[in-house]
Amino acid sequence: GPWAIKRGDDGRLYIFEQSEVNDFHPLAKCYRNGFDGEANVSLIAAAPDLLEALREVVAISDRKHDAWDRAKAVISKAEGADS
């Protein structure tokens, strides 16, 4: 990341590295149209920023709570530890 979204000439949404938006070398292509497709693409494009923010929150406020355990598990999964 950071990732960006761009609509292609075919009308589909694509996810790019922010620095490569104009080079048209997408990381991913959304095959669903409509609200669900756009919402999913937006969530995927925000994933690197969300992961970074979650890591920061867990690092500065580690607590004994189910929510923190879930947050740590999600971070591990995103890092490929739970593939």
Side-chain angles (χ1 to χ4, degrees), residues 5-47:
I5 302 167
K6 182 178 179 182
R7 190 170 298 278
D9 293 338
D10 60 0
R12 298 202 185 275
L13 295 172
Y14 293 84
I15 299 171
F16 293 85
E17 286 280 347
Q18 188 85 35
S19 60
E20 298 177 1
V21 170
N22 295 321
D23 294 335
F24 207 77
H25 297 289
L27 297 168
K29 175 181 177 180
C30 179
Y31 288 93
R32 277 182 104 166
N33 290 323
F35 177 77
D36 286 347
E38 290 185 25
N40 290 338
V41 169
S42 295
L43 179 59
I44 293 166

